[in-house]
Amino acid sequence: MLALGWGADLGAAFERYRDPAVVPARVTRVDRGRLLVLTAAGPTDALPTPGLAAESRDAPCTGDWVVLRRTPDGPSFVDAVLPRRTLLTRAVAGGESQAQPLAANADAIALVEGLDPTPSLSRIERLLVLLWETDATPLIVLTKADLVPDPWAIADQVAGVAAGVEVYVVSSATGDGYAGLEPYVGFGRTLALLGRSGAGKSSLTNRLTGADLATQSIREDGRGRHTTVRRELVAVPGGGAVLDTPGLRAAGLWSAEEGVERVFGDIEALASECRFGDCGHESEPGCAVQAALADGRLEDRRWQSYRKLLREAEWIASRTDHRLRQERTKAWKQIHLEMRRNPKPGR
């Protein structure tokens, strides 16, 4: 289990569940509520206990370390999820104020983008906001370098919107660039892959792990074909793992304030130079942002991307605050109800 990232912190957390019938395990796949987990004895199927709701943020997801209870003549059950070191989440589709876990306990998360067609810088910015919120190391992997005449020119553009993030250029056809990714899948380390369909995540997984995940070419309209249909943790020979994910059609932000600050640090720095502290960056005198837009130091596309993601982050924060207020109000109502039912003696 050490090869997959088991450590002293997880061992200490597992101690409270110490029982002859339980063992630690890592979730390698979740399929319609059923789990495939890996133990020291090998892979096995399991079911979550009723207390681990399927739609909950605390429900087991791929990459989780869990407490597995084995039964002599029946299925195994996951009793609990051990504390997560990192967690990648997105907002549930449909505007609900709820987070959907995508991958747990990844040491690094790679945003995978194909170079053909040319990747969208605004999409990269949005996904980087997600990655910066995870506590894992973010990186960008640009695939299909053999399909474009000058992959490094595109890589320079991507690096320009990804301050503090390493950018790698690879080709599954030639094997070029893969040596730089090997440290991310070393003994005990997990690399998660995130990106749209057709970006080359499964090909990347195959190259790094020696697995044989199915792959397909992109369609004529440039859209990817969905090959990976579920999140899957694939062990690397000699230690380490790659967590492959299905193509991401939408990336609703769940927690975004820190991510926005990290991705758009240049704009945040400009805003701090404005004459007025409450500058709206529209027509106020002494606005450093408008000055940078006027002289070309700040691209309008990037400014609009920042404004859009900032509005989304503020909306998420307001929804979260509203939900917390509702939960506190509900708790106090329950307390007062219990007080009325069970008054103190003498009243």
Side-chain angles (χ1 to χ4, degrees):
M1 302 303 282
L2 292 174
L4 288 179
W6 183 263
D9 57 335
L10 291 166
F14 183 73
E15 279 299 320
R16 62 175 294 197
Y17 302 99
R18 184 65 65 182
D19 182 285
V22 303
V23 295
R26 193 163 191 198
V27 178
T28 59
R29 192 168 68 210
V30 180
D31 189 6
R32 297 179 182 177
R34 299 188 67 89
L35 309 173
L36 181 63
V37 302
L38 187 61
T39 71
T44 186
D45 291 321
L47 293 171
T49 55
L52 297 175
E55 299 302 323
S56 167
R57 178 184 172 91
D58 299 321
C61 74
T62 305
D64 267 325
W65 287 96
V66 298
V67 178
L68 182 72
R69 181 172 297 277
R70 298 170 295 188
T71 57
D73 303 313
S76 297
F77 289 92
V78 168
D79 283 352
V81 176
L82 295 177
R84 292 157 168 162
R85 295 164 174 162
T86 66
L87 181 64
L88 174 64
T89 61
R90 69 170 175 179
V92 172
E96 298 180 33
S97 182
Q98 186 176 347
Q100 177 190 20
L102 298 178
N105 298 307
D107 299 282
I109 305 176
L111 168 52
V112 183
E113 284 280 345
L115 288 165
D116 183 31
T118 303
S120 162
L121 296 181
S122 295
R123 181 176 63 248
I124 288 174
E125 289 164 343
R126 166 174 284 273
L127 293 177
L128 282 178
V129 169
L130 278 181
L131 266 56
W132 276 119
E133 294 286 342
T134 64
D135 291 329
T137 300
L139 61 142
I140 296 175
V141 179
L142 302 176
T143 62
K144 307 180 184 182
D146 54 293
L147 298 182
V148 295
D150 191 355
W152 292 105
I154 302 175
D156 287 343
Q157 294 178 25
V158 171
V161 302
V165 178
E166 294 288 343
V167 179
Y168 297 87
V169 176
V170 304
S171 168
S172 294
T174 65
D176 291 344
Y178 277 88
L181 300 177
E182 291 176 359
Y184 295 103
V185 290
F187 187 89
R189 296 185 62 80
T190 298
L191 173 66
L193 308 179
L194 181 74
R196 63 176 184 159
S197 297
K201 298 185 301 297
S202 295
S203 296
L204 193 58
T205 301
N206 289 344
R207 273 278 182 175
L208 293 172
T209 66
D212 189 23
L213 303 183
T215 61
Q216 295 186 45
S217 60
I218 61 173
R219 304 185 322 207
E220 291 183 1
D221 60 4
R223 294 186 177 183
R225 302 177 189 270
H226 283 273
T227 301
T228 302
V229 296
R230 61 180 66 88
R231 292 173 283 280
E232 184 169 2
L233 186 79
V234 183
V236 175
V242 175
L243 203 164
D244 190 22
T245 65
L248 201 62
R249 288 191 179 95
L253 304 181
W254 171 247
S255 175
E257 290 185 0
E258 181 180 350
V260 170
E261 290 177 3
R262 297 294 295 265
V263 174
F264 297 96
D266 56 332
I267 298 180
E268 297 272 340
L270 281 171
S272 68
E273 298 175 3
C274 292
R275 181 184 302 176
F276 301 108
D278 60 348
C279 183
H281 315 302
E282 296 292 345
S283 57
E284 294 87 346
C287 176
V289 171
Q290 288 298 320
L293 286 167
D295 63 22
R297 285 178 292 138
L298 176 60
E299 183 186 1
D300 184 66
R301 181 213 60 79
R302 183 163 169 80
W303 169 238
Q304 297 303 329
S305 178
Y306 169 74
R307 294 182 66 189
K308 179 180 179 180
L309 292 173
L310 186 62
R311 286 194 299 268
E312 194 168 339
E314 291 171 346
W315 180 83
I316 293 165
S318 68
R319 286 292 298 270
T320 301
D321 290 343
H322 177 66
R323 189 181 69 255
L324 291 175
R325 285 195 299 272
Q326 286 183 319
E327 292 174 354
R328 284 196 293 266
T329 300
K330 183 179 179 180
W332 276 112
K333 285 182 178 179
Q334 186 64 35
I335 290 171
H336 288 304
L337 180 61
E338 292 297 325
M339 290 173 65
R340 287 196 297 270
R341 287 175 177 173
N342 302 291
K344 290 183 179 180
R347 288 190 177 181

